[in-house]
Every structure is written in C-alpha cells, then in structure tokens.
Amino acid sequence: MLQHLNLMAFAIPLFLAFMGAEWWYARKSGKRYFNFRNSVSNINVGIAERLLDTFTTGMFFFVYQYLYHHFALFHFKPSVLQWIALLLCTDFVWYWYHRLAHEMNIFWAAHVVHHQSEDFNYTVSARITVFQALIRTGFWSILPVLGFTPGMITSMLLVHGLYPFFIHTRAIGKLGFLEYILVTPSHHRVHHASDEEYLDKNYGDVFIIWDKVFGTFVEETHAPTYGLTKPLNSHSFLWQHFHFYLELLQGVRQTQGLTRKLKLVFGKPDLLDPAIRPRLEERYLLRNDMVQATRRLHDYVVIQLVVMLTGLFTFLLLEHYVPVVVQVLIALFIFITLINCGAILEQRRWVFYLEYARATLLFIAAWYFFPYAVLLWVPALALPMALYYDARLKERYLRLVYGRV
C-alpha cells in the first residue's frame, strides 16, 4: 500500500507536466482549450479526490481481501494470461459501471461532477470524486469473487486508472487503426459532448470493443460542445459536488408514491423535473456578479493552488510517517482551501471567514507539536482584536482579493 501511495504522489508532477505541455501547445497554436476558472475548478476536484484516496485506498484493499478469502470461486495465480484476463475483466466491469452511472440517478449524482466542465483538456481528467471511487469499488468487488488476488486487483486498478488521463485532450487527433481497439481521445471527446447525437455514448475506459458490442459507440464526426446539457454555471466546490444530490432529494420529496420515488432514484436523469435546479440555485447559490475578476484574484487563487498541490504531494509521499491527528488537520486545511478557491471564483464575500478557520487549524497544529502554555496567549490576544476590527479587516481583505468591494 505504501508503494501505491508513493506512485500516487509522483503521478501529481507527471500529470501537471502534461497539463502544462498541453497548455503551452494550445497557447502557441492559438487554440482556446483552457479557461482559467474551469481549470482551477477541475484541479480542485482532483485534489480532493487524491486526498481522500489516502484514507480510503486501504479500506478498498481490505474489502477485496475479505471477499477473496471468503467468497472466491477460484484462486488464480499471477501469470501473463491471468493479468490479461484481469485487464479485460476490469475494463468490462468499468464499462457497465460507467454506463449505469449515466443511466441511474443514484450513480449519476456522483459521476455528474466529471462532466460539468465546458472545457476538454487534461485538467478535466482530475474531475473524479471520492463518491465515484466508493461506487466503483462496489462494482469491482466482483473481481476478488472471481478469484483474482487483492494485490493483482489494486495493481491493475492503479494502471487502469492512469490510462484515462491521456484521452482527455483535444490536442491529439484520430489515431488510425488504434481507433478500432482502444478508447482514444477522439472517442472520449464524444463521451464528454452535450450534442444530442453524442449523448450517452462511448463508455469504454481502455478498450472501445465493449461499446461496439453493446451498441453505444459513435464516431466523432464534428467538434463537440462540452459540458452538461444544462450548464452548471458555477465554480463553487461544494455546489459542484452536491447540487445533483439536492436535486434528486427534492425530486423524491415532490414525487408521490414509493414506486415512483424508487423509479426516480434508479431511473435516468431526464426523469428529474428540470425546474428543480433553478429553485435550488435561488435558495443556495447566491452570487455576487457585480465584482469583476482581477489579476490579484487570479494570483491569489494560483498561490493557493500551488500550496495545495505541494502539500498534497508531500502528504502522499510521507503519509506513512505522519501522525493521524496531523493527517486530519492537513486534510481539513486543504478542504477549506478548496472551498475558499471555489468561493473566490464565485466572488463570495464570506470567504473572509474561511481565513479564520485556516488560522485555527494552523494554531491547533502548532499546539500539537509545541504544547506550551505560552502559545495560548496567541488566540487569547488575536480573537478579541479580530472581533473588534472585524469590519475593517473584512473590507481590507476583500479589497485585497477582489480589487474593489
């Protein structure tokens, strides 16, 4: 497991290098593949998923281990043929997980985050949530029951999870004969399209053969329009993750009868009343569109993004040596920062109070390592001053971030 975490850590600079190379190519060739706010939102989602993976990956392994030792129908030994069989089985299970994630609201609620971006570039590959990881583990639990060892499964899932990154790009055209075998960037561009003729097609992850066998394959014939059929129009980290759960919950509440409620939960997304989201947006998604984005705002977001990525890389690399209390504090700090970035992109005024939350976490961390009574003077002095100068501090902070209030 430690080796897997180290690989996850070194995957971060590798993926960032490819993102940077794609951005450089797009800029040099005059192609608008990247939007600053979309890219930041995409990477933020990926940071959250990578961070939570450190807490859940071990749990997934033990699930596979328990199923293998108690319910395995066969006991395969690692060999070339078994690895090939595992690759095919893994990809086959992925196809059905992915297809059902589009056809059942209960799964789409987790998967919708991956399709929210109206860009299509390497940053979009980061839009995976831990909710998806939990659901996929349920589907992949068939693998240890078939007889594949937990070690083989986790190793295969690690490799299998790397491939999709490289198909999230517009910089690569069609790939000749590989189009008949593998899922290529061209195939996956179709999958992320909101054009009617492209909807719910090309579910494959590595091999395109499953789509051709089950009738869900469509070739890319024109440049797609990316994103949801009804754009989210929000960069809020929390709203991106939970808006569809709220929509589904509201849909269930206003649906009469248990049978119809269950049909909505396990039915297709188009069964949901489209009027629900505007009502929820009016209630929960209050924007401040009067404030224009400034260079300072962008710089502040980028600085936070760099700090989070550096912290995540270090955390994954040294996670085995970090006390659990510190792990939790780091995770909370990163999550508050993710919410902060999304709120800044949405131009919310309450971002100011997130700074208090981050300062509190830093103090708790300092107290954990240096439990000296003298440190208690810091909050004892800082809190009354913050309360007394609250309005002035808030005004200066918002002016610093947004340029004007």
Side-chain angles (χ1 to χ4, degrees):
M1 294 306 301
L2 181 59
Q3 291 178 339
H4 288 171
L5 288 175
N6 287 340
L7 287 173
M8 288 166 58
F10 287 110
I12 293 174
L14 174 66
F15 290 163
L16 289 175
F18 275 97
M19 292 176 190
E22 185 185 28
W23 174 84
W24 179 85
Y25 165 78
R27 186 176 181 183
K28 287 296 182 181
S29 57
K31 297 177 179 178
R32 300 179 63 84
Y33 291 168
F34 288 81
N35 171 277
F36 174 77
R37 295 188 177 201
N38 287 341
S39 297
V40 170
S41 296
N42 296 342
I43 294 173
N44 281 352
V45 174
I47 289 173
E49 191 267 339
R50 287 292 91 185
L51 181 64
L52 287 174
D53 268 356
T54 62
F55 299 98
T56 58
T57 301
M59 178 185 70
F60 297 160
F61 178 83
F62 288 116
V63 167
Y64 299 143
Q65 193 173 50
Y66 178 85
L67 292 173
Y68 178 77
H69 288 300
H70 292 83
F71 300 102
L73 300 176
F74 308 98
H75 290 85
F76 300 130
K77 294 183 178 179
S79 67
V80 173
L81 289 179
Q82 298 304 336
W83 280 107
I84 294 174
L86 178 57
L87 173 60
L88 292 173
C89 288
T90 300
D91 206 55
F92 178 76
V93 172
W94 167 273
Y95 170 86
W96 282 106
Y97 149 73
H98 199 183
R99 181 169 175 172
L100 292 176
H102 281 253
E103 296 180 351
M104 297 176 66
N105 281 319
I106 189 66
F107 296 148
W108 176 244
H111 188 59
V112 66
V113 180
H114 187 62
H115 285 268
Q116 291 165 350
S117 177
E118 294 175 40
D119 290 342
F120 190 76
N121 53 54
Y122 283 141
T123 68
V124 177
S125 65
R127 295 191 70 91
I128 305 295
T129 71
V130 73
F131 304 122
Q132 287 175 256
L134 290 169
I135 295 170
R136 289 186 305 201
T137 298
F139 279 83
W140 278 322
S141 292
I142 189 65
L143 298 176
V145 175
L146 290 176
F148 296 106
T149 66
M152 288 180 68
I153 295 170
T154 52
S155 297
M156 178 58 69
L157 293 181
L158 188 66
V159 175
H160 194 269
L162 293 175
Y163 181 81
F165 173 85
F166 299 98
I167 59 178
H168 288 83
T169 180
R170 285 190 275 173
I172 299 175
K174 295 193 176 184
L175 298 177
F177 75 93
L178 292 178
E179 299 284 323
Y180 298 99
I181 306 169
L182 300 176
V183 175
T184 65
S186 175
H187 298 328
H188 207 59
R189 287 193 289 269
V190 167
H191 178 70
H192 274 260
S194 58
D195 308 86
E196 186 174 353
E197 63 271 34
Y198 287 161
L199 283 179
D200 299 329
K201 302 295 182 182
N202 298 2
Y203 294 113
D205 197 47
V206 175
F207 299 109
I208 198 63
I209 54 176
W210 314 120
D211 286 287
K212 294 187 175 183
V213 169
F214 297 109
T216 53
F217 173 75
V218 166
E219 185 178 357
E220 182 184 30
T221 56
H222 61 85
T225 301
Y226 300 103
L228 303 177
T229 53
K230 183 181 179 183
L232 192 63
N233 295 325
S234 173
H235 300 286
S236 167
F237 178 80
L238 294 176
W239 187 251
Q240 289 175 2
H241 279 77
F242 297 107
H243 77 92
F244 198 84
Y245 287 104
L246 291 174
E247 291 177 45
L248 185 57
L249 179 61
Q250 184 63 33
V252 170
R253 283 179 175 175
Q254 68 184 40
T255 300
Q256 300 298 319
L258 179 60
T259 301
R260 294 179 63 190
K261 289 179 186 291
L262 291 174
K263 183 178 179 181
L264 180 63
V265 170
F266 295 99
K268 293 187 175 183
D270 56 12
L271 293 177
L272 201 63
D273 181 1
I276 292 176
R277 189 195 293 177
R279 293 200 297 267
L280 291 174
E281 288 176 341
E282 187 176 351
R283 185 187 309 172
Y284 298 114
L285 199 59
L286 302 177
R287 296 188 182 92
N288 182 10
D289 296 325
M290 298 300 293
V291 181
Q292 299 299 316
T294 64
R295 181 69 184 180
R296 253 182 288 183
L297 181 149
H298 285 197
D299 290 345
Y300 186 49
V301 170
V302 169
I303 289 171
Q304 293 189 91
L305 200 60
V306 170
V307 170
M308 283 190 293
L309 287 168
T310 304
L312 180 63
F313 172 77
T314 306
F315 180 73
L316 291 176
L317 200 61
L318 303 177
E319 184 265 345
H320 187 67
Y321 308 100
V322 178
V324 174
V325 173
V326 179
Q327 289 183 32
V328 172
L329 290 174
I330 292 174
L332 288 174
F333 188 90
I334 291 178
F335 272 109
I336 291 174
T337 304
L338 292 172
I339 296 170
N340 180 279
C341 286
I344 287 175
L345 292 176
E346 290 284 292
Q347 319 233 337
R348 306 291 183 86
R349 296 174 65 88
W350 51 260
V351 293
F352 170 70
Y353 298 105
L354 294 178
E355 302 297 350
Y356 285 148
R358 292 199 289 192
T360 301
L361 290 174
L362 290 175
F363 173 78
I364 294 173
W367 176 260
Y368 178 81
F369 287 107
F370 307 102
Y372 304 125
V374 68
L375 280 181
L376 295 176
W377 283 101
V378 175
L381 294 174
L383 184 59
M385 291 181 64
L387 292 174
Y388 183 78
Y389 292 106
D390 180 75
R392 189 178 302 178
L393 288 171
K394 182 177 180 180
E395 181 182 357
R396 290 189 176 183
Y397 173 82
L398 295 176
R399 193 178 299 279
L400 177 66
V401 175
Y402 297 139
R404 59 190 178 90
V405 181

